[in-house]
Protein backbone atom coordinates (compact mmCIF):
# COMPACT_ATOMS: atom_id res chain seq x y z
CA UNK A 1 0.00 0.00 0.00
CA UNK A 2 1.32 3.44 -0.93
CA UNK A 3 0.49 6.67 0.84
CA UNK A 4 0.38 9.86 -1.20
CA UNK A 5 0.47 13.20 0.54
CA UNK A 6 -1.66 15.20 -1.85
CA UNK A 7 -3.66 18.14 -0.54
CA UNK A 8 -7.35 18.81 -0.90
CA UNK A 9 -7.56 22.04 -2.90
CA UNK A 10 -9.67 25.07 -2.22
CA UNK A 11 -11.33 26.81 -5.14
CA UNK A 12 -9.24 30.00 -5.06
CA UNK A 13 -10.39 33.17 -6.80
CA UNK A 14 -9.26 33.66 -10.40
CA UNK A 15 -5.50 34.10 -10.90
CA UNK A 16 -4.75 33.15 -7.26
CA UNK A 17 -3.25 29.86 -6.08
CA UNK A 18 -1.74 28.76 -2.77
CA UNK A 19 1.63 30.38 -3.50
CA UNK A 20 0.08 33.72 -4.42
CA UNK A 21 -2.27 33.54 -1.46
CA UNK A 22 0.59 32.97 0.98
CA UNK A 23 2.69 35.71 -0.63
CA UNK A 24 0.07 38.40 -1.07
CA UNK A 25 -2.74 37.71 1.42
CA UNK A 26 -1.72 35.51 4.35
CA UNK A 27 -1.45 37.77 7.41
CA UNK A 28 -1.65 40.80 5.10
CA UNK A 29 -5.15 41.40 3.77
CA UNK A 30 -8.61 39.81 3.53
CA UNK A 31 -9.72 37.66 0.62
CA UNK A 32 -13.19 36.58 -0.43
CA UNK A 33 -13.58 33.08 -1.92
CA UNK A 34 -16.77 32.62 -3.90
CA UNK A 35 -17.69 28.92 -3.83
CA UNK A 36 -14.43 27.95 -2.15
CA UNK A 37 -16.00 24.55 -1.45
CA UNK A 38 -19.06 24.31 -3.68
CA UNK A 39 -19.69 20.64 -2.82
CA UNK A 40 -19.07 20.98 0.93
CA UNK A 41 -21.65 19.23 3.09
CA UNK A 42 -22.24 20.52 6.59
CA UNK A 43 -22.20 17.45 8.83
CA UNK A 44 -23.85 19.07 11.81
CA UNK A 45 -27.31 20.45 12.47
CA UNK A 46 -28.37 23.14 14.92
CA UNK A 47 -29.87 20.58 17.33
CA UNK A 48 -26.65 18.56 17.41
CA UNK A 49 -24.61 21.70 18.03
CA UNK A 50 -26.93 22.62 20.89
CA UNK A 51 -26.46 19.13 22.31
CA UNK A 52 -22.68 19.57 22.25
CA UNK A 53 -23.09 22.86 24.10
CA UNK A 54 -24.77 20.94 26.94
CA UNK A 55 -21.66 18.76 27.39
CA UNK A 56 -19.44 19.91 30.25
CA UNK A 57 -16.31 18.73 28.41
CA UNK A 58 -16.95 20.92 25.36
CA UNK A 59 -16.25 24.65 25.27
CA UNK A 60 -19.22 26.72 24.15
CA UNK A 61 -20.66 30.24 24.32
CA UNK A 62 -24.00 31.90 23.75
CA UNK A 63 -24.06 35.55 22.68
CA UNK A 64 -27.27 37.57 23.06
CA UNK A 65 -27.20 40.97 21.44
CA UNK A 66 -30.43 42.45 22.80
CA UNK A 67 -32.13 40.01 25.13
CA UNK A 68 -29.49 39.39 27.77
CA UNK A 69 -28.75 40.98 31.11
CA UNK A 70 -26.52 43.45 29.22
CA UNK A 71 -26.08 44.29 25.53
CA UNK A 72 -23.89 41.62 23.91
CA UNK A 73 -24.16 39.34 26.91
CA UNK A 74 -21.90 36.27 26.67
CA UNK A 75 -22.92 33.12 28.54
CA UNK A 76 -20.64 30.12 28.83
CA UNK A 77 -21.59 26.44 28.67
CA UNK A 78 -22.41 23.81 29.56
CA UNK A 79 -26.04 24.80 29.09
CA UNK A 80 -29.27 23.17 30.21
CA UNK A 81 -31.26 21.72 27.32
CA UNK A 82 -34.31 23.73 28.38
CA UNK A 83 -32.47 27.00 27.70
CA UNK A 84 -32.74 26.76 23.94
CA UNK A 85 -36.54 26.59 24.01
CA UNK A 86 -36.58 29.85 25.95
CA UNK A 87 -34.42 31.89 23.56
CA UNK A 88 -35.89 34.65 21.37
CA UNK A 89 -36.43 34.29 17.62
CA UNK A 90 -33.64 36.66 16.64
CA UNK A 91 -30.31 38.27 17.61
CA UNK A 92 -28.47 35.39 19.29
CA UNK A 93 -25.61 33.08 18.33
CA UNK A 94 -24.32 29.78 19.72
CA UNK A 95 -20.61 29.02 19.27
CA UNK A 96 -18.95 25.65 19.92
CA UNK A 97 -15.17 25.20 19.88
CA UNK A 98 -13.11 22.21 18.69
CA UNK A 99 -15.95 20.55 16.81
CA UNK A 100 -13.32 18.83 14.64
CA UNK A 101 -12.19 16.89 17.73
CA UNK A 102 -15.59 15.23 18.09
CA UNK A 103 -17.02 14.83 14.58
CA UNK A 104 -14.66 13.13 12.07
CA UNK A 105 -16.53 14.49 9.05
CA UNK A 106 -15.93 18.03 10.31
CA UNK A 107 -12.23 17.26 10.88
CA UNK A 108 -11.93 16.38 7.19
CA UNK A 109 -12.46 20.06 6.43
CA UNK A 110 -8.97 20.72 7.85
CA UNK A 111 -7.42 18.87 4.90
CA UNK A 112 -8.18 21.86 2.69
CA UNK A 113 -5.97 24.12 4.82
CA UNK A 114 -2.82 22.02 5.09
CA UNK A 115 -0.89 24.41 2.87
CA UNK A 116 -0.47 26.11 6.26
CA UNK A 117 1.72 24.09 8.69
CA UNK A 118 -0.28 21.75 10.93
CA UNK A 119 1.25 23.21 14.07
CA UNK A 120 -0.37 26.56 13.24
CA UNK A 121 -3.88 25.08 13.09
CA UNK A 122 -6.03 25.37 16.19
CA UNK A 123 -9.57 24.16 15.66
CA UNK A 124 -12.84 24.43 13.81
CA UNK A 125 -15.37 26.48 15.72
CA UNK A 126 -18.94 26.21 14.47
CA UNK A 127 -21.52 28.89 15.11
CA UNK A 128 -25.26 28.68 14.70
CA UNK A 129 -27.15 31.97 14.49
CA UNK A 130 -30.82 32.78 14.23
CA UNK A 131 -31.92 35.74 12.11
CA UNK A 132 -29.74 38.81 12.84
CA UNK A 133 -27.57 36.74 15.17
CA UNK A 134 -24.04 38.02 15.61
CA UNK A 135 -21.17 38.22 18.06
CA UNK A 136 -20.79 41.91 17.31
CA UNK A 137 -18.16 44.03 15.58
CA UNK A 138 -14.77 42.92 16.90
CA UNK A 139 -11.22 41.91 16.08
CA UNK A 140 -9.31 38.67 16.60
CA UNK A 141 -5.62 38.15 17.27
CA UNK A 142 -5.33 35.22 14.85
CA UNK A 143 -5.99 34.25 11.23
CA UNK A 144 -9.37 32.74 10.41
CA UNK A 145 -11.18 31.28 7.42
CA UNK A 146 -14.96 31.77 7.70
CA UNK A 147 -16.78 29.14 5.63
CA UNK A 148 -20.51 29.56 5.18
CA UNK A 149 -21.89 26.07 5.72
CA UNK A 150 -25.65 26.75 5.80
CA UNK A 151 -27.80 29.79 5.17
CA UNK A 152 -26.40 33.27 4.59
CA UNK A 153 -24.34 35.68 6.62
CA UNK A 154 -23.44 39.27 5.76
CA UNK A 155 -19.86 40.22 6.63
CA UNK A 156 -18.65 43.78 7.08
CA UNK A 157 -14.98 44.63 7.61
CA UNK A 158 -12.62 47.52 8.02
CA UNK A 159 -8.83 47.49 8.13
CA UNK A 160 -8.22 50.59 10.25
CA UNK A 161 -6.07 50.14 13.34
CA UNK A 162 -7.96 49.30 16.53
CA UNK A 163 -6.62 50.13 19.96
CA UNK A 164 -7.40 48.18 23.16
CA UNK A 165 -9.11 51.31 24.48
CA UNK A 166 -11.54 51.33 21.55
CA UNK A 167 -13.68 48.45 22.85
CA UNK A 168 -16.78 48.89 24.97
CA UNK A 169 -15.63 48.55 28.59
CA UNK A 170 -17.17 46.11 31.05
CA UNK A 171 -18.12 43.38 28.53
CA UNK A 172 -16.78 39.83 28.23
CA UNK A 173 -16.53 40.39 24.47
CA UNK A 174 -14.28 42.88 22.67
CA UNK A 175 -17.08 44.84 21.01
CA UNK A 176 -16.37 47.99 18.99
CA UNK A 177 -18.95 50.72 19.68
CA UNK A 178 -18.38 52.39 16.31
CA UNK A 179 -18.07 50.41 13.10
CA UNK A 180 -17.88 52.01 9.67
CA UNK A 181 -17.48 49.28 7.06
CA UNK A 182 -14.99 49.58 4.21
CA UNK A 183 -16.29 46.45 2.47
CA UNK A 184 -19.18 44.06 2.90
CA UNK A 185 -20.31 40.81 1.27
CA UNK A 186 -23.20 38.40 1.58
CA UNK A 187 -21.79 34.89 1.91
CA UNK A 188 -23.92 31.98 0.75
CA UNK A 189 -23.33 28.25 1.22
CA UNK A 190 -19.84 27.30 0.01
CA UNK A 191 -18.49 30.88 0.12
CA UNK A 192 -15.60 31.72 2.44
CA UNK A 193 -13.85 34.81 3.78
CA UNK A 194 -10.22 34.87 4.93
CA UNK A 195 -9.33 37.45 7.58
CA UNK A 196 -5.79 38.13 8.84
CA UNK A 197 -5.24 39.10 12.48
CA UNK A 198 -6.69 42.35 13.83
CA UNK A 199 -9.00 43.09 10.92
CA UNK A 200 -12.26 44.36 12.41
CA UNK A 201 -15.24 42.34 11.24
CA UNK A 202 -18.94 41.93 11.87
CA UNK A 203 -20.96 38.97 10.64
CA UNK A 204 -24.76 39.13 10.77
CA UNK A 205 -26.98 36.17 9.90
CA UNK A 206 -29.77 36.73 7.41
CA UNK A 207 -32.13 33.98 8.48
CA UNK A 208 -30.72 30.90 10.21
CA UNK A 209 -27.04 30.36 9.45
CA UNK A 210 -24.20 27.99 10.30
CA UNK A 211 -20.58 29.13 9.86
CA UNK A 212 -17.40 27.07 10.22
CA UNK A 213 -14.46 29.10 11.51
CA UNK A 214 -11.07 27.53 10.83
CA UNK A 215 -8.81 29.23 13.36
CA UNK A 216 -5.03 29.27 13.75
CA UNK A 217 -2.88 29.37 16.85
CA UNK A 218 -1.02 32.55 17.66
CA UNK A 219 0.92 32.20 20.93
CA UNK A 220 1.92 35.45 22.56
CA UNK A 221 5.59 36.35 22.71
CA UNK A 222 5.27 36.00 26.47
CA UNK A 223 4.15 32.37 25.97
CA UNK A 224 7.03 31.71 23.59
CA UNK A 225 9.57 33.33 25.89
CA UNK A 226 8.22 31.41 28.91
CA UNK A 227 8.55 28.10 27.06
CA UNK A 228 12.05 29.01 25.90
CA UNK A 229 13.16 29.94 29.41
CA UNK A 230 11.56 26.85 30.90
CA UNK A 231 13.55 24.68 28.51
CA UNK A 232 16.65 26.68 29.29
CA UNK A 233 16.16 26.28 33.04
CA UNK A 234 15.61 22.54 32.74
CA UNK A 235 18.49 21.79 30.40
CA UNK A 236 21.14 24.45 30.82
CA UNK A 237 21.15 25.93 34.30
CA UNK A 238 23.47 24.10 36.70
CA UNK A 239 21.88 22.34 39.66
CA UNK A 240 24.38 23.79 42.12
CA UNK A 241 23.56 26.72 44.34
CA UNK A 242 25.07 30.16 44.17
CA UNK A 243 28.67 30.55 45.35
CA UNK A 244 30.36 33.85 46.24
CA UNK A 245 33.27 35.25 44.28
CA UNK A 246 36.32 36.15 46.32
CA UNK A 247 34.93 38.41 49.04
CA UNK A 248 36.52 41.40 50.69
CA UNK A 249 35.27 43.29 53.77
CA UNK A 250 32.66 45.95 52.95
CA UNK A 251 32.28 49.26 54.77
CA UNK A 252 28.51 49.13 54.08
CA UNK A 253 27.41 45.50 54.50
CA UNK A 254 23.98 46.11 52.90
CA UNK A 255 25.49 47.26 49.60
CA UNK A 256 25.18 44.98 46.54
CA UNK A 257 28.54 45.30 44.84
CA UNK A 258 28.88 45.34 41.02
CA UNK A 259 31.18 42.32 41.19
CA UNK A 260 28.32 40.18 42.53
CA UNK A 261 26.04 41.16 39.65
CA UNK A 262 28.81 40.59 37.11
CA UNK A 263 29.24 37.06 38.41
CA UNK A 264 25.52 36.35 37.99
CA UNK A 265 25.44 37.79 34.48
CA UNK A 266 28.51 35.83 33.38
CA UNK A 267 26.98 32.55 34.59
CA UNK A 268 23.64 33.25 32.89
CA UNK A 269 25.32 34.32 29.65
CA UNK A 270 27.35 31.11 29.50
CA UNK A 271 24.08 29.17 29.77
CA UNK A 272 22.41 31.27 27.08
CA UNK A 273 25.33 30.62 24.74
CA UNK A 274 24.59 26.90 24.99
CA UNK A 275 20.82 27.08 24.57
CA UNK A 276 20.78 26.51 20.81
CA UNK A 277 22.07 23.00 21.35
CA UNK A 278 18.47 21.82 21.71
CA UNK A 279 15.61 23.61 19.98
CA UNK A 280 12.99 20.96 20.67
CA UNK A 281 11.27 23.27 23.15
CA UNK A 282 9.48 24.92 20.21
CA UNK A 283 7.90 21.70 18.97
CA UNK A 284 6.74 20.91 22.48
CA UNK A 285 5.21 24.39 22.80
CA UNK A 286 3.23 24.41 19.56
CA UNK A 287 1.78 20.92 20.08
CA UNK A 288 0.51 21.54 23.60
CA UNK A 289 -3.19 20.78 23.78
CA UNK A 290 -5.93 22.57 25.67
CA UNK A 291 -6.52 21.40 29.26
CA UNK A 292 -9.94 19.92 28.48
CA UNK A 293 -8.60 17.99 25.46
CA UNK A 294 -6.10 15.80 27.28
CA UNK A 295 -5.46 12.29 25.99
CA UNK A 296 -6.14 9.41 28.40
CA UNK A 297 -3.77 6.41 28.38
CA UNK A 298 -5.23 2.94 27.85
CA UNK A 299 -6.25 1.07 30.97
CA UNK A 300 -4.30 -2.08 30.06
CA UNK A 301 -1.06 -1.29 28.18
CA UNK A 302 -0.03 -3.76 25.49
CA UNK A 303 3.37 -5.33 25.08
CA UNK A 304 5.07 -4.60 21.78
CA UNK A 305 4.38 -8.10 20.44
CA UNK A 306 0.72 -7.99 21.45
CA UNK A 307 0.37 -4.55 19.87
CA UNK A 308 2.00 -5.82 16.66
CA UNK A 309 -0.32 -8.83 16.48
CA UNK A 310 -3.39 -6.71 17.11
CA UNK A 311 -2.35 -4.14 14.52
CA UNK A 312 -1.88 -6.94 11.99
CA UNK A 313 -5.34 -8.31 12.75
CA UNK A 314 -7.09 -4.92 12.75
CA UNK A 315 -5.19 -3.70 9.65
CA UNK A 316 -5.81 -0.02 10.54
CA UNK A 317 -5.06 2.18 13.52
CA UNK A 318 -6.63 5.62 14.02
CA UNK A 319 -5.17 8.80 15.44
CA UNK A 320 -6.86 10.18 18.55
CA UNK A 321 -8.62 13.39 17.51
CA UNK A 322 -7.22 15.12 20.62
CA UNK A 323 -3.59 14.44 19.65
CA UNK A 324 -1.65 17.34 18.08
CA UNK A 325 1.36 16.17 16.08
CA UNK A 326 4.40 17.71 14.44
CA UNK A 327 7.98 16.65 13.73
CA UNK A 328 11.39 18.10 13.00
CA UNK A 329 14.65 16.96 11.45
CA UNK A 330 17.30 17.83 14.03
CA UNK A 331 20.73 17.61 12.43
CA UNK A 332 22.74 18.73 15.45
CA UNK A 333 22.49 15.38 17.19
CA UNK A 334 21.43 13.17 14.29
CA UNK A 335 17.93 12.57 15.60
CA UNK A 336 14.48 13.19 14.15
CA UNK A 337 11.87 14.24 16.67
CA UNK A 338 8.14 13.63 16.91
CA UNK A 339 6.09 16.06 19.03
CA UNK A 340 2.70 15.17 20.45
CA UNK A 341 0.71 17.25 22.94
CA UNK A 342 3.77 18.95 24.39
CA UNK A 343 6.00 15.85 24.56
CA UNK A 344 8.89 14.82 22.32
CA UNK A 345 10.05 11.43 21.05
CA UNK A 346 13.30 10.91 19.15
CA UNK A 347 14.20 8.56 16.32
CA UNK A 348 17.34 8.03 14.22
CA UNK A 349 17.73 10.56 11.40
CA UNK A 350 17.39 7.63 8.99
CA UNK A 351 13.65 7.43 9.76
CA UNK A 352 12.90 8.70 6.25
CA UNK A 353 9.18 9.03 5.57
CA UNK A 354 8.03 7.43 8.82
CA UNK A 355 7.37 10.70 10.68
CA UNK A 356 5.79 12.49 7.68
CA UNK A 357 3.41 9.55 7.26
CA UNK A 358 2.27 9.08 10.86
CA UNK A 359 1.77 12.83 11.35
CA UNK A 360 -0.06 13.37 8.05
CA UNK A 361 -2.75 10.69 8.12
CA UNK A 362 -5.54 10.09 10.59
CA UNK A 363 -5.71 6.40 9.60
CA UNK A 364 -2.56 4.29 9.35
CA UNK A 365 -2.57 0.98 7.51
CA UNK A 366 -0.52 -1.96 8.72
CA UNK A 367 0.53 -2.95 5.22
CA UNK A 368 2.25 0.35 4.58
CA UNK A 369 3.99 0.50 7.96
CA UNK A 370 4.99 -3.18 8.03
CA UNK A 371 8.64 -2.66 7.07
CA UNK A 372 9.06 -0.07 9.80
CA UNK A 373 7.28 -2.26 12.32
CA UNK A 374 9.92 -4.92 11.76
CA UNK A 375 12.48 -2.52 13.26
CA UNK A 376 12.49 -2.32 17.09
CA UNK A 377 12.67 1.47 17.44
CA UNK A 378 9.57 2.09 15.30
CA UNK A 379 7.53 -0.70 16.82
CA UNK A 380 8.48 0.51 20.29
CA UNK A 381 7.42 4.08 19.49
CA UNK A 382 4.06 3.15 17.96
CA UNK A 383 3.29 0.79 20.83
CA UNK A 384 4.16 3.51 23.31
CA UNK A 385 1.94 6.03 21.51
CA UNK A 386 -0.91 3.53 21.52
CA UNK A 387 -0.51 2.90 25.25
CA UNK A 388 -0.45 6.65 25.88
CA UNK A 389 -3.74 6.98 24.01
CA UNK A 390 -2.60 8.79 20.85
CA UNK A 391 -3.67 5.96 18.54
CA UNK A 392 -6.75 3.77 18.78
CA UNK A 393 -8.05 0.60 17.17
CA UNK A 394 -11.60 0.57 15.84
CA UNK A 395 -12.87 -1.63 18.67
CA UNK A 396 -11.28 0.41 21.48
CA UNK A 397 -13.78 2.04 23.79
Amino acid sequence: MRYTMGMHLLNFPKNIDTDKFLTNYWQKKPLLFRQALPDFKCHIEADELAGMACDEEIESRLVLEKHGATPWEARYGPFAESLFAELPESHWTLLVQDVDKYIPEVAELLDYFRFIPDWRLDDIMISYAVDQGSVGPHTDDYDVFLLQAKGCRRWKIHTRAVDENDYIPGLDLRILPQFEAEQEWLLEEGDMLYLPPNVAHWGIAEGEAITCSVGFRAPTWQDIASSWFESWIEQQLPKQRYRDPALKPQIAPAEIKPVALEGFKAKLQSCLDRLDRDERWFGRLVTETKPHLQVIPVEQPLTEQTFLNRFREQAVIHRNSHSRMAFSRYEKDGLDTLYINGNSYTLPSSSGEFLPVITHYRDLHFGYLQEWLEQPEYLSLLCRLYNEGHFLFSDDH
Side-chain angles (χ1 to χ4, degrees), residues 277-289:
R277 294 179 185 177
D278 188 354
E279 297 167 352
R280 293 185 176 92
W281 63 270
F282 185 75
R284 292 190 287 267
L285 168 66
V286 297
T287 58
E288 287 180 350
T289 192

Side-chain angles (χ1 to χ4, degrees), residues 104-118:
E105 292 83 1
V106 173
E108 292 174 3
L109 177 60
L110 295 173
D111 292 337
Y112 290 92
F113 301 92
R114 298 187 83 177
F115 56 92
I116 310 294
D118 281 358

Side-chain angles (χ1 to χ4, degrees), residues 152-156 184-187 202-206:
C152 300
R153 188 183 289 268
R154 184 171 299 279
W155 286 99
K156 304 177 182 182
E184 69 174 76
W185 309 273
L186 180 67
L187 268 64
W202 190 0
I204 305 171
E206 298 193 357

